[in-house]
Amino acid sequence: MSKTRESAGFHPGTPNEARVIDYLLGGKDNFAADREAAEHALAVAPELPMMARESRKFLGRAIRFLVAQGVRQFIDIGCGLPTQENAHEAAQEADPDARVVYVDFDPVVVTHARAILANNARVTVVQADMRDPDVILGHPHLTRLIDLGEPVGVLLIAALAAIPEDEVALDIVARLRQAIVPGSWMVISHPISDGRAEMTKKLSTLFQDREIVKGSRRRSDLRTYAEIEPYFDGLELAGPGIVRTPAWRPGRGEPSVHPESVWSVAGVGRKL
Ligand SMILES: C[S@@+](CC[C@H](N)C(=O)[O-])C[C@H]1O[C@@H](n2cnc3c(N)ncnc32)[C@H](O)[C@@H]1O
């Protein structure tokens, strides 16, 4: 491993969220430390691969909904490794002119995404920390594709759980909301602890002990539904509101799982 890559934050010996999820989804972009952490997580919550798949399906439904509302530019923050149902596939299938900027702080995600997207002029990848929305929104790769004077769809899919400090997570959402023009949309999903406190506490401890979730404050549990609601302040929620992820505007033949079996909620709101 070259020094440059290590200093850029590539640490195969430490499990990493994007690669753990890649393993859960049957991908190959993961290392022994990721697989070991994922197996421990699976022992606590065997439904995690199903949850990851439901998250991707929601992403596709939300993008298609926003394209139908006239949105043609998207920023997918904490995008994860490219897998099935990527934002640009859903968006460009609905309108080939749609533009998508992926953002993640993980260099493995960024390298893979750049390789996959090399031939797509309407998609780009920004390596940045979501804790600094101004850097993301001012990044030259983003401003080349996205006109922030026009409505945009900002996606935070299962991303804010990586920020354990509540006030920081709220501030990230508020700053993004302030920066987008009226008529823009925010798409947010988040795992919740409601009704499953014991299991989600074990998972939170596992992810923090292994430094998968990094932050200055330890939370003993995932956020609750009531703690997710304020992320949608100042937005007009599209129906059906903030619901279990599979229950958000299910398509034909969906939901294929019982919505309550998924301990994650999702909502889509428009800035007025
Ligand atoms: C649970 S994954 C979600 C991936 C994807 N959005 C999905 O739903 O399949 C969270 C992603 O957020 C990224 N992430 C975590 N903390 C971040 C930060 N501070 N800034 C940017 N990305 C971050 C991780 O690298 C990971 O890819």
Side-chain angles (χ1 to χ4, degrees), residues 16-19 21 25 52 55-56 59 76-81 83 103-106 109 128-131 136 156-160 162-163 172 189 212:
N16 151 300
E17 194 178 13
R19 300 192 305 252
I21 290 177
L25 285 168
S55 184
R56 306 305 293 184
L59 166 73
D76 184 358
I77 302 177
C79 58
L81 276 160
T83 164
V103 182
D104 207 289
F105 74 165
D106 177 1
V109 168
D129 195 318
M130 70 175 120
R131 289 170 183 270
I136 294 174
L156 288 160
I157 311 284
L160 290 166
I163 308 293
I172 290 171
S189 76
I212 297 173

Side-chain angles (χ1 to χ4, degrees), residues 19-147:
R19 300 192 305 252
V20 167
I21 290 177
D22 177 69
Y23 177 73
L24 293 174
L25 285 168
K28 294 188 171 55
D29 301 314
N30 47 72
F31 299 101
D34 307 309
R35 295 191 282 277
E36 203 241 355
E39 287 298 342
H40 276 91
L42 279 172
V44 177
E47 67 275 29
L48 282 173
M50 176 273 283
M51 301 254 304
R53 286 192 298 273
E54 288 301 320
S55 184
R56 306 305 293 184
K57 287 189 201 167
F58 164 68
L59 166 73
R61 294 197 301 275
I63 294 257
R64 286 188 287 277
F65 172 78
L66 292 195
V67 173
Q69 307 304 309
V71 179
R72 293 292 180 273
Q73 38 181 18
F74 299 90
I75 308 172
D76 184 358
I77 302 177
C79 58
L81 276 160
T83 164
Q84 310 99 351
E85 295 245 28
N86 297 302
H88 75 284
E89 288 159 346
Q92 293 183 343
E93 207 175 286
D95 184 336
D97 284 336
R99 278 124 34 230
V100 178
V101 175
Y102 288 109
V103 182
D104 207 289
F105 74 165
D106 177 1
V108 176
V109 168
V110 172
T111 305
H112 275 264
R114 286 201 176 128
I116 286 172
L117 303 170
N119 296 323
N120 194 326
R122 293 188 180 83
V123 185
T124 193
V125 190
V126 169
Q127 184 175 354
D129 195 318
M130 70 175 120
R131 289 170 183 270
D132 207 340
D134 301 337
V135 168
I136 294 174
L137 297 172
H139 196 285
H141 289 185
L142 183 143
T143 52
R144 186 173 58 78
L145 277 193
I146 305 277
D147 177 359

